[in-house]
Amino acid sequence: MSVPRYEDAEDAMDFDDVIMGRRSIRGYKPDPVPRSLIEEILSLAMRAPSSMNTQPWNFTVLTGEPLDRIRQGNTERNLAGIPHSREFRIGSAFDGAHRDRQVFVAKQLFGAMGIEREDKAGRQDWVLRGFRQFDAPVCVIITYDKVLAGSDDTPFDCGAVTTALVNAAWSRGLGCVVNSQGIMQSPVVREHAGIADDQVIMKAVAMGWPDESFPANTVVSERKSVAEAARFVGF
Ligand SMILES: Cc1cc2nc3c(=O)[nH]c(=O)nc-3n(C[C@H](O)[C@H](O)[C@H](O)COP(=O)(O)O)c2cc1C
C-alpha cells in the first residue's frame, strides 16, 4: 500500500495542531471505524524510525465479537483477582517525581469524572472501563517478533510506532489511548485475537471517534518543561 501524502489527505491537520491537540481519549462513540482508514493510519505510523530499520512491530486490529470476548475475559479475570500476566517486564512502583506525575494526572481524570477519593465503586468502575478498552469500537494490539526479544531497541521501536500511530489517528479525527490495562491479561488477548506464539504482546491502543461529551476526554495532561528535561552542551 502506498503511503498517503499529506496534500492528498482531505482531513489532514497541521503537525503542531496534531501534537498539541492530541490527548488520550477514554470515551468513544459507538460508530464503527472503516478498515481503510485504519490501514491509512497504520501506513503513516510505520514511517516511524526503527533500529537498523528492523520494523519489529506487528498489529492485530480488533473490533466486534473478538474484541467483546477480550473485554469480557479481561473483566472476569480482573474481578476474580487473577494476577496480571504481561509478557514484558514491569519495573517497581513509581516514586518521587514519577509518582507525583502519576498522581497528578489521576487527580485530573477523577476530577473531570467527578469520582471522589472515597468513592470505591466509582474507582472500580473506572478501572474496569480500562479493562474493557474504554468501550472503544477498535483495539490495536501491538506485538513484536519474539526472535528480537531481549534487545531494548525492540520495545523502543514499538514505542516509536505507537506514538506515530496515535498522532496519525488524531490527524484523521480519531482518538486513542495507549494502554497497558488491555494486555495485563495477555493470555485472554492471545486466545481471542489469535496471536501467534512467535509474537510478544506489548501494548494495547483503544481507538475510535471521540465522544465530545465524555468529561475525561477534556483533560490536558501536564508536561515538565524543556528546561527540566534538556541539557544543552556546547552551545
Ligand atoms: C505505555 C503506556 C501505557 C499506558 N497505560 C494506560 C492505561 O493502562 N490506562 C490508561 O487509562 N492510560 C494509559 N496510558 C495513557 C497515559 O496515562 C497518558 O498518555 C498520559 O497520562 C499522558 O496523557 P495524554 O496521553 O492525554 O497526553 C498509557 C500510556 C502509555 C504511553
Side-chain angles (χ1 to χ4, degrees):
M1 184 183 177
S2 65
V3 175
R5 290 167 58 87
Y6 178 85
E7 54 270 31
D8 294 341
E10 282 171 24
D11 301 327
M13 290 166 64
D14 181 73
F15 180 80
D16 284 19
D17 289 341
V18 174
I19 296 293
M20 298 307 289
R22 186 214 59 83
R23 54 197 182 274
S24 288
I25 294 299
R26 296 180 176 88
Y28 296 90
K29 293 178 184 162
D31 313 18
V33 182
R35 177 176 167 160
S36 59
L37 180 57
I38 302 171
E39 285 170 345
E40 180 179 306
I41 287 165
L42 288 173
S43 71
L44 282 169
M46 285 193 288
R47 297 307 304 168
S50 63
S51 172
M52 317 274 182
N53 203 24
T54 46
Q55 305 172 57
W57 49 68
N58 290 294
F59 309 95
T60 302
V61 186
L62 297 155
T63 193
E65 224 180 275
L67 179 52
D68 285 341
R69 284 199 291 269
I70 291 172
R71 295 189 223 275
Q72 196 184 340
N74 279 348
T75 304
E76 281 168 7
R77 285 170 72 117
N78 186 261
L79 287 173
I82 295 173
H84 303 156
S85 43
R86 301 199 212 185
E87 297 184 358
F88 57 92
R89 288 177 298 167
I90 321 176
S92 44
F94 297 135
D95 204 359
H98 304 119
R99 174 73 182 152
D100 292 346
R101 292 183 197 126
Q102 178 189 18
V103 169
F104 193 82
V105 76
K107 277 187 180 163
Q108 284 183 290
L109 290 166
F110 286 135
M113 294 302 295
I115 302 170
E116 305 286 342
R117 206 181 156 74
E118 308 73 33
D119 180 2
K120 280 193 177 159
R123 284 176 175 248
Q124 170 76 339
D125 270 1
W126 182 254
V127 169
L128 289 178
R129 188 177 184 80
F131 280 89
R132 291 197 313 270
Q133 285 304 281
F134 308 88
D135 301 326
V138 173
C139 171
V140 183
I141 303 295
I142 318 284
T143 67
Y144 61 81
D145 298 325
K146 200 176 220 166
V147 71
L148 295 177
S151 162
D152 288 341
D153 284 328
T154 303
F156 185 93
D157 294 343
C158 288
V161 82
T162 305
T163 301
L165 174 67
V166 298
N167 283 320
W170 191 265
S171 81
R172 300 300 192 264
L174 282 167
C176 293
V177 57
V178 182
N179 68 93
S180 300
Q181 280 174 287
I183 50 78
M184 276 184 180
Q185 300 289 352
S186 286
V188 170
V189 177
R190 190 172 281 285
E191 181 190 344
H192 297 300
I195 294 174
D197 287 343
D198 66 353
Q199 296 298 301
V200 177
I201 295 177
M202 178 84 216
K203 211 56 76 179
V205 179
M207 181 189 283
W209 306 104
D211 175 354
E212 319 286 352
S213 66
F214 190 75
N217 288 349
T218 62
V219 167
V220 177
S221 56
E222 303 255 306
R223 292 295 184 273
K224 64 180 175 182
S225 66
V226 173
E228 280 177 277
R231 291 172 58 244
F232 293 84
V233 180
F235 277 80

